[in-house]
Amino acid sequence: MAIKSNGLRGPAPSERPHPNERRNRQGIRIEPGSSGELQNRLATFSALVKHEPGVLSKVSGLFSRRQFNIESLTVGPTENENNARITLVVNENDTGIIQVKRQLAKLLPVIAVEELSRDAIERELCLIKIKNHFAQGDSLEELKELVDKNGIEILDIGDGMVTIEVRGGQRDIDDTIEMFDQFGIEEIARTGTVALERGSKKTT
Amino acid sequence: MSKSTNTNKEKKPEKTGPKTGAQAVVASLEKAGVEVIFGVQGGAIMPVYDALYDSKLRHITMGHEQGAAHAADAYGIVSGQPGVCIATSGPGATNLITGLADANMDSVPVLALTGQVPTNFVGNDAFQECDTIGVSNPVTKANFFATETESVGDVVSLAFLLAKEGRQGPTLVDLPKDVTIGEISNWEYKPPELPDHVEIPSVADEEIIRSAAATLIDAKKPVILAGGGVIKGDACNELYKFAIEFEIPVVTTMPGIGAFPEDHELSLKPAGMHGTGYANMALTHCDVMLAVGTRFDDRLTGGVDTFAPTAEIIHIDIDPAEISKNIHADYELVGDAATVLMQLYKEMGSKPEASEWLDQIKAWKQEYSIEYGERESDGKPRPQYIIEELCRATDSDTIVTTGVGQHQMWAMLYWTYKKPRTWVSSHGLGTMGYGLPAAIGARFAADDDQKVICIDGDGSFLMTLQELSVAVREELDITIVVLNNAGIGMVRQWQDAFYDHRRMASEYPWVPDFSKIADAFGAKGFLLDDVENVESTIKEAIGYKGPSVIDARIDPAENVFPMVPSGGANGLFALTEKHLEEL
Ligand SMILES: Cc1ncc(C[n+]2csc(CCOP(=O)(O)OP(=O)(O)O)c2C)c(N)n1
């Protein structure tokens, strides 16, 4: 079957005027020559949601479906037994961060959602299990010193392993993990960030 | 005892009120003003069907649940009220999903009711159990698992309300059998209210309105982009007033077809992948774009980098999440389309000075006319000509439904749409097989003297053909025109353009005779293969009272142009195969 002309006429693409201006991947107009690449940043959101079955799957489904980069997600009860609070840390550019908020707000069980201020109180808890090189003598002292200096608690010693608890901001925990890396970390469990606004400012 | 689906039932004595969950479900639909529902029976939904036995609600038994969902969708588009579909658990529910995904993409108000296994079986992989809530999460605006008999009626009422309020979309209520069978102690219908935390924006920020108006007044090359939200928000009159008063050319998206009369000189028809050359030129070169009720789908924008690269964008939408999602808006106007257009209207002291631009657009309309020349190709009538003839033979309120493919694009380009809610198609999901069940749904929503025409492809028609039985059984006056190119033409066109003519699985070595299929179903079949018979066949088929099918044999070599290759620059659309090679 031979393809024939369909009858349309008009100048070829190369014969038409065509603008040189461009938009970046987020659809923002950019200076000619610039890449217009937006930087990602970490943003913490607090979402007050109805405490009912299926909410978490709706939230996590939204994140995977829209390919939002999620660093952590926690969920737990609040002062009101009908509600739960979800705290989310995402790594996105500004367009993505606005999208996260607006898409979350559309989910019916989401009562309110806000991006928290930079000075909001953020805390995470982490358990780290390390090989017990400190079974006796000086090295246990060494561990205790390290632990005391950094506000870390020893939860369990024995069976060749030591389990410690670290609390702090996400960055503090990252630093602690790095510090203990030299001793041989066996297992880590982190809660993810929970956060509230400082002072009398309401979180959501 | 058999309840046929199309006879009016004699009046039953007045009941004191619903006694079971199922009866409450039906009562809620009746109170919401629902007149017709589309569905298929089955085990877990039987209690609700049993309650329908005593109801004035008209139930249309469809051939397949996908058909039920598409029929409800088209009903929603044409009437503006949620179309209702109903199915059993498991396969019934999963068969609805394509239709719900379609409605979700195109923001169409649809309410789906699905049966579910009894609550105490849920989670045990019971017979015909499926996690309908889980499966429907990504394709519904909201969904509900009914847990109590006492409140199931309220849940249905709320789902109905949510489907149509704000940005419209499909909602679903999953109905476990024990909940619908259960007896109610005391429930009465209450008009549903939105939950306290759900706010539907109406008026846009006045300050942004003022600055947007100032920008628009200063524009030298303004353009309006009207999306489906203009129609769904009933803002067509406001848009018309705005465009005429300030003399701004109007481009539409595909779902926006009908938002502005295409026979008006300010109309540029739809832009995008197969939009008109002049619409794509206008979007590419405008300096201010007023975009209303659109989500800037990639079939419209082409490559984001080259989309309206010189334009400041004023974006009106009821869903804030659509603003600056794909294309950054310089002026974000969240609110109801009609209300915000009038806010903006009031701020516009004068119209933009754009006479040069209007002349330019007139010139582009000439230069890139969609005139196709010959009426005939390879001895067969050309699809463009068939569609023009169909349009000529019918009134301007005629409803057109389509499948997905080349025929859909010809139906878009060569029919002149003058009224909202007359174009009923599958855009965002691009669902082949949408056309016929959509024609059925549209038929029920349309006025009796309105014509309904389905322009289909042979591939699309074959996907939901069984619904022809419904059209015959229900004596529906619809005309189906199959533009039969013996293959899935759109795919073949792409293979020729981008896969070196390697036509893998796109040409049918054999196609059934659709006119005979129509006859076998009890519809009226016509074979159309001679250009001289186009007018007379169309006249006869449209004149036939009942479902008719024209098997229109067209040249399989026909391609759709203009065309913007996917991700390409709108302004560099191809008008011929040769242009495509150049890109
Ligand atoms: C359900 C579904 N499956 C596959 C596709 C991919 N597809 C897009 S257009 C097309 C061809 C449609 O063929 P037909 O209905 O005959 O229309 P034509 O293009 O020939 O006019 C196909 C297969 C689709 N859109 N929908």
Side-chain angles (χ1 to χ4, degrees), chain A residues 1-4 6 8-12 14 16-17 21-24 27-29 57-58 99 102 106 108 110, chain B residues 137 143 197 305 307-309 311 319-321 323 328 332 367-368 382 492 555-557 561 571 573 577 582:
Chain A
M1 113 191 170
I3 297 292
K4 289 149 284 194
N6 71 334
L8 295 193
R9 279 167 229 294
S14 57
R16 296 175 206 148
E21 286 82 351
R22 287 290 176 269
R23 292 179 183 271
N24 71 2
I28 303 169
R29 280 176 300 150
S57 87
K58 286 190 161 97
Q99 267 295 302
R102 290 178 177 176
K106 282 209 291 181
L108 191 62
V110 173
Chain B
N137 262 339
N143 59 17
H197 70 276
D305 55 334
F307 179 75
D319 180 357
I323 298 185
H328 178 77
E332 301 196 346
E367 224 171 346
Y368 301 108
R382 297 190 64 193
R492 197 270 308 140
D555 183 354
F561 286 100
F573 52 87
E577 287 77 9
E582 195 189 282

Side-chain angles (χ1 to χ4, degrees), chain A residues 1-30 48-50 52-59 61-62 65-66 68 94-96 98-112, chain B residues 137-138 142-144 162 167 195 197-198 281 284-285 304-313 319-321 323-328 330 332 367-372 377-378 382 414 492 496 503 507 555-557 559 561-562 569 571-573 575-577 579 582-583:
Chain A
M1 113 191 170
I3 297 292
K4 289 149 284 194
S5 155
N6 71 334
L8 295 193
R9 279 167 229 294
S14 57
E15 293 161 7
R16 296 175 206 148
H18 196 67
N20 291 321
E21 286 82 351
R22 287 290 176 269
R23 292 179 183 271
N24 71 2
R25 278 197 287 166
Q26 286 72 35
I28 303 169
R29 280 176 300 150
I30 50 175
L48 205 58
V49 303
K50 289 266 172 63
E52 61 189 24
V55 178
L56 200 55
S57 87
K58 286 190 161 97
V59 170
L62 172 72
R65 172 160 97 245
R66 297 214 176 256
F68 294 139
D94 283 339
T95 299
I98 293 170
Q99 267 295 302
V100 167
K101 175 170 173 184
R102 290 178 177 176
Q103 293 292 352
L104 270 173
K106 282 209 291 181
L107 296 177
L108 191 62
V110 173
I111 299 163
Chain B
N137 262 339
N143 59 17
F144 303 89
L162 283 168
R167 179 179 178 177
H197 70 276
V198 176
M281 287 303 270
T284 304
H285 294 273
V304 165
D305 55 334
T306 48
F307 179 75
T310 50
E312 283 202 80
I313 292 182
D319 180 357
I323 298 185
S324 297
K325 182 184 82 178
N326 292 338
I327 299 292
H328 178 77
D330 301 284
E332 301 196 346
E367 224 171 346
Y368 301 108
S369 146
I370 53 172
E371 269 310 316
Y372 54 88
S377 168
D378 199 26
R382 297 190 64 193
Y414 291 99
R492 197 270 308 140
D496 286 355
R503 295 177 178 171
E507 294 173 298
D555 183 354
N559 281 337
F561 286 100
L572 301 180
F573 52 87
L575 295 167
T576 63
E577 287 77 9
H579 289 175
E582 195 189 282
L583 292 173

Side-chain angles (χ1 to χ4, degrees), chain B residues 404-407 430-432 457-460 463 485 487-491:
Chain B
V404 169
Q406 293 180 311
H407 63 279
T431 312
M432 286 170 72
D458 45 310
S460 292
M463 286 206 179
N485 53 9
I488 40 182
M490 184 60 93
V491 171

